[in-house]
Amino acid sequence: MIFPENFVWGAATASYQIEGAAKEDGRGQSIWDTFSRTAGKVVGGDTGDVACDHYHRYADDVKLMRELNLAAYRFSIAWPRVQPTGSGAINPAGLDFYDRLLDELLKAEISPYVTLYHWDLPQPLEDQGGWATRDTAYRFAEYAAAVHARLGDRVEHWATLNEPWVSAFLGYGNGVHAPGRTDPAAAMRAAHHLLLGHGLAARQLRAAGARSLMLVVNAAPVLTAAQVNDPPAEPSKADAAAVRRIDALLNRQFLDPALRGVYPAEVLAAAERNGGTAHILDGDLTLINAPVDLIGVNYYNPCIVESAPGTPADPAWPGSDDVAFTSVDAPRTAMGWPVVPTGLSRLLVRLSRDYPQVGLMVTENGAAYEDVVESGRVHDADRLAYLDSHLRAAHDAVRQGADLRGYLVWSLLDNFEWAEGYRRRFGIVHVDYDTQARTPKDSALWYRDVIARNGL
Ligand code: FCB
């Protein structure tokens, strides 16, 4: 099973999850610093203060990437390092860190994929309303331009936002993520302002000469449980309508404005019922519809729904009234997520069919399992099997015509898994948080060989 020539193989991380050094070199506060210090929000009261100490260990971490044959590394920039208050003065010392990291990556012949926003909003911007406020979109574009001005000479691939659905609806809807607000109208506004920020930033970057731009989404196939079967069962009319509506809220809410300059009717209806649409100004959709080269797809599991009249909207899903979120009979990861590799092939084929003007890249895919270190080895057979089956699904999608350009595993390192703290391990490399020792798991050694032969 050989992948196309020039297929890009790599791994991904995010700033707050790995960097640590929360108070060094002028870094400001992010909403995750505040949230992780709020009692009851993160399992075990864990914070990103130290994390994987990547801020100090980046050179060794890049060496490790090189040993694992990675050709690409996706990481994110911490906005509060670069612009401690989220607006105004740039902190050159914060950019210096990424400057050093980039030089190390380029020396190791690893292509950087830079994500500008992976959830660590400067706290002062949240204090002024955060993503629920329009101004944040303009602040984001300014910050993006400042990062490009310093790093653009060495970075070809830029992602604006990571998973705006999660930022908006877990951050402002069900409050499971920072900033922990629970206001459906604010969540709908946040989604729009994130999109606006994406469009404004993409335009700035393009004007400044950025070669390749992408938006990274947590897209997932929305299915009834019976549709997951092989062969899939035809849904009832009511179930098909539930599928369509949730697909609009999860996938098309972001992809249609970004790639076609329109909102799905279901999304406008959800906004109407949750605060209205006055925040969507004339011209916004044109700004949002900035040309991009790639869609980054973070896939973990499908979204399973059924029609359930009388069920109130889930707080993370304004507009999901009369729908139940269920699951399927499948093996589960330590997150409780069902393992459904065919979800990835369906998703990629569908995205290339519906949005043929952009290429696709799997920007995250991976799994948390309970790992044990035994005489310096981690025999993570479950994770290896998860990755193997999803790569087979990705290959199948390519065979069916999906324009898939690369695959980045989540994650290089075990790290701070947001509200789950450090107890959930997604790394192909184990991190001992007491000693910061890195131990490549069996999955990492396997992945190294997959990359070497460009396939399975
Ligand atoms: C994604 C996030 C990433 C990581 C994985 C498990 O939603 O983008 O940071 O937490 O889930």
Side-chain angles (χ1 to χ4, degrees), residues 422-442:
Y422 294 101
R423 73 167 175 165
R424 294 291 174 242
R425 294 177 176 273
F426 275 90
I428 54 171
V429 174
H430 181 273
V431 175
D432 178 329
Y433 294 110
D434 293 327
T435 63
Q436 291 294 348
R438 273 69 161 146
T439 306
K441 303 176 191 177
D442 286 356

Side-chain angles (χ1 to χ4, degrees), residues 17 118-119 162-163 298 300 337 364 410 417-418 426:
Q17 294 181 277
H118 200 127
W119 306 352
N162 179 70
E163 302 188 354
N298 294 353
Y300 293 92
W337 298 347
E364 290 183 21
W410 183 271
E417 178 46 36
W418 309 113
F426 275 90

Side-chain angles (χ1 to χ4, degrees), residues 173-438:
N174 71 3
V176 166
H177 280 188
R181 290 172 62 183
T182 52
D183 173 352
M188 292 304 297
R189 289 202 306 279
H192 180 72
H193 297 140
L194 281 152
L195 278 164
L196 182 61
H198 156 76
L200 294 168
R203 284 166 195 282
Q204 292 262 12
L205 294 175
R206 188 75 80 190
R211 292 265 297 278
S212 161
L213 296 177
M214 78 174 142
L215 172 66
V216 174
V217 289
N218 52 307
V222 181
L223 305 162
T224 63
Q227 278 180 305
V228 175
N229 295 337
D230 186 21
E234 255 320 289
S236 69
K237 250 198 165 142
D239 281 343
V243 162
R244 247 191 333 271
R245 180 147 48 96
I246 301 307
D247 178 62
L249 298 177
L250 176 59
N251 298 315
R252 285 182 283 125
Q253 172 157 215
F254 298 92
L255 295 172
D256 281 7
L259 301 175
R260 295 177 174 160
V262 290
Y263 267 122
E266 296 94 330
V267 170
L268 294 173
E272 280 302 348
R273 296 180 56 179
N274 291 281
T277 54
H279 60 285
I280 305 173
L281 305 190
D282 278 354
D284 280 2
L285 283 159
T286 309
L287 290 171
I288 292 168
N289 184 21
V292 295
D293 304 279
L294 291 171
I295 286 296
V297 177
N298 294 353
Y299 174 78
Y300 293 92
N301 57 309
C303 177
I304 313 294
V305 300
E306 65 191 29
S307 160
T311 306
D314 183 297
W317 299 87
S320 70
D321 315 62
D322 305 315
V323 175
F325 292 86
T326 63
S327 198
V328 279
D329 191 17
R332 277 163 206 283
T333 70
M335 296 291 277
W337 298 347
V339 178
V340 185
T342 51
L344 179 59
S345 38
R346 282 178 198 235
L347 176 65
L348 295 172
V349 170
R350 176 261 175 115
L351 292 176
S352 271
R353 184 198 63 210
D354 289 356
Y355 307 99
Q357 73 273 36
V358 287
L360 303 175
M361 176 127 180
V362 173
T363 35
E364 290 183 21
N365 175 241
Y369 288 103
E370 309 283 345
D371 295 321
V372 253
V373 187
E374 288 169 299
S375 11
R377 299 288 299 271
V378 180
H379 300 301
D380 60 339
D382 288 337
R383 182 176 297 99
L384 195 157
Y386 180 100
L387 297 174
D388 180 84
S389 61
H390 285 75
L391 281 177
R392 284 169 198 278
H395 191 274
D396 186 41
V398 172
R399 203 183 39 77
Q400 292 183 60
D403 183 7
L404 181 65
R405 314 275 177 88
Y407 176 93
L408 310 179
V409 66
W410 183 271
S411 178
L412 176 69
L413 303 171
D414 290 336
N415 59 47
F416 176 81
E417 178 46 36
W418 309 113
E420 298 292 327
Y422 294 101
R423 73 167 175 165
R424 294 291 174 242
R425 294 177 176 273
F426 275 90
I428 54 171
V429 174
H430 181 273
V431 175
D432 178 329
Y433 294 110
D434 293 327
T435 63
Q436 291 294 348
R438 273 69 161 146

Side-chain angles (χ1 to χ4, degrees), residues 16-20 48-58 61 413-416 422 431 433 436 438:
Y16 191 75
Q17 294 181 277
I18 66 163
E19 286 178 358
D49 282 2
V50 178
C52 306
D53 194 32
H54 174 73
Y55 192 79
H56 300 112
R57 295 167 194 266
Y58 68 94
D61 288 340
L413 303 171
D414 290 336
N415 59 47
F416 176 81
Y422 294 101
V431 175
Y433 294 110
Q436 291 294 348
R438 273 69 161 146

